[in-house]
């Protein structure tokens, strides 16, 4: 458990377990604690590198906007700092966007990619979710005082007074339009998409995203020879807000990280 000085950010990271490295990237307004329910299962099989992103948890904010792209560069710099030539990445929600951008911007560093409750374009969220995101700012930050995310932030953040700043910067990020579809279609690594069946992302976007990765276009054949390298999991009985701690998540993730990939015939 330490800090790495990368790209002008003092980035907090924790190391757990042994084996092939797996980087965990939390969701918005969170920290490494988001993964606490599933961390023991993952760390029993992997060398887990859990990170607090810019302005979140134990990583203090710096004088730059919150952007998926710059935070992805931070993760690449952290891997270099740790002398890890390649790692698997698992990102949830906001962290999923950062993980995806890391794979796009630094493809040689990412072996396999797991995206949990993550769209590939901004319009992949339900309209009501987009409306709520657009309202994020200082006023909502005040309304969130006393909630579990705020209490954790108060306890671990280097500057607890930056709570409103985090909401203002995150609101600016969430209002920005993006569409990474073309870059997703060009990815050459195996990707696992994981969603809840009552997620903040509609099923049609899950299918669209999987289609960009080569999935859902044809029958896999009796021997599975035509299946794509990437996979899609929709976990029943869960939502966007509880999927990250569900036992079903590592149960879906760990086999994906170890299965042998072969090119479709």
């Amino acid at each position: 458990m330490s800090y790495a000085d990368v790209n002008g950010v003092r980035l907090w990271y924790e190391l757990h377990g042994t084996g092939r490295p797996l980087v965990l990237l939390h969701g918005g307004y969170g920290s490494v604690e988001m993964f606490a329910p599933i961390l023991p299962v993952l760390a029993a099989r992997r060398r887990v590198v859990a990170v607090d992103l810019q302005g979140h948890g134990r990583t203090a904010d710096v004088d730059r906007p919150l952007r998926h792209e710059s935070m992805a560069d931070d993760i690449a710099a952290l891997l270099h700092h740790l002398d890890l030539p390649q790692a698997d990445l698992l990102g949830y929600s906001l962290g999923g966007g950062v993980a995806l951008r890391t794979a796009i911007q630094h493809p040689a560093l990412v072996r396999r990619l797991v995206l949990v409750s993550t769209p590939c374009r901004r319009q992949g969220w339900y309209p009501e979710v987009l409306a709520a995101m657009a309202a994020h700012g200082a006023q909502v930050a005040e309304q969130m005082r006393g909630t579990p995310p705020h209490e954790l932030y108060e306890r671990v953040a280097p500057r607890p007074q930056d709570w409103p700043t985090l909401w203002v910067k995150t609101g600016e990020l969430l209002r920005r339009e993006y569409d990474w579809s073309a870059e997703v279609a060009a990815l050459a690594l195996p990707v696992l998409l994981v969603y809840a069946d009552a997620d903040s992302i509609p099923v049609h976007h899950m299918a669209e995203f999987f289609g960009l990765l080569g999935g859902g276009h044809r029958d896999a054949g009796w021997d599975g020879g035509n299946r794509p390298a990437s996979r899609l999991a929709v976990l029943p009985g869960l939502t966007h807000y509880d999927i990250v701690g569900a036992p079903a998540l590592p149960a879906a993730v760990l086999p994906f990280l170890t299965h042998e990939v072969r090119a479709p015939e």
Side-chain angles (χ1 to χ4, degrees), residues 40-210:
V41 177
L42 296 175
R45 300 271 295 276
R46 308 300 294 254
R47 182 188 183 192
V48 172
V49 183
V51 183
D52 282 351
L53 298 169
Q54 175 193 338
H56 291 75
R58 297 160 185 82
T59 299
D61 194 22
V62 293
D63 187 19
R64 72 177 193 191
L66 275 184
R67 296 289 184 269
H68 295 101
E69 293 82 358
S70 58
M71 290 187 283
D73 288 339
D74 294 342
I75 300 307
L78 176 64
L79 292 176
H80 289 302
H81 173 84
L82 296 174
D83 196 24
L84 296 175
Q86 197 174 54
D88 298 329
L89 267 60
L90 185 160
Y92 160 65
S93 196
L94 171 68
V98 176
L100 177 54
R101 289 306 314 179
T102 305
I104 290 170
Q105 296 165 209
H106 306 276
L109 293 177
V110 184
R111 174 182 167 270
R112 296 193 184 185
L113 180 64
V114 179
L115 304 177
V116 182
S117 293
T118 305
C120 65
R121 54 187 178 88
R122 184 173 180 270
Q123 297 303 318
W125 300 98
Y126 279 116
E128 62 269 28
V129 176
L130 287 173
M133 288 177 172
H136 286 200
Q139 182 176 355
V140 178
E142 290 303 311
Q143 296 169 356
M144 292 296 291
R145 288 188 183 276
T147 62
H150 175 250
E151 290 175 350
L152 176 62
Y153 188 86
E154 283 275 309
R155 187 166 69 250
V156 305
R159 296 194 303 267
Q161 65 271 23
D162 285 351
W163 178 249
T165 302
L166 175 60
W167 280 80
V168 170
K169 284 192 168 185
T170 302
E172 293 171 351
L173 170 65
L174 297 177
R175 287 187 288 271
R176 290 174 61 87
E177 287 294 337
Y178 63 90
D179 187 341
W180 302 326
S181 299
E183 292 160 299
V184 165
L187 287 173
L189 79 166
V191 181
L192 170 63
L193 302 178
V194 187
Y195 299 98
D197 62 351
D199 215 306
S200 300
I201 297 163
V203 173
H204 67 78
H205 183 73
M206 303 175 194
E208 174 192 353
F209 199 161
F210 190 46

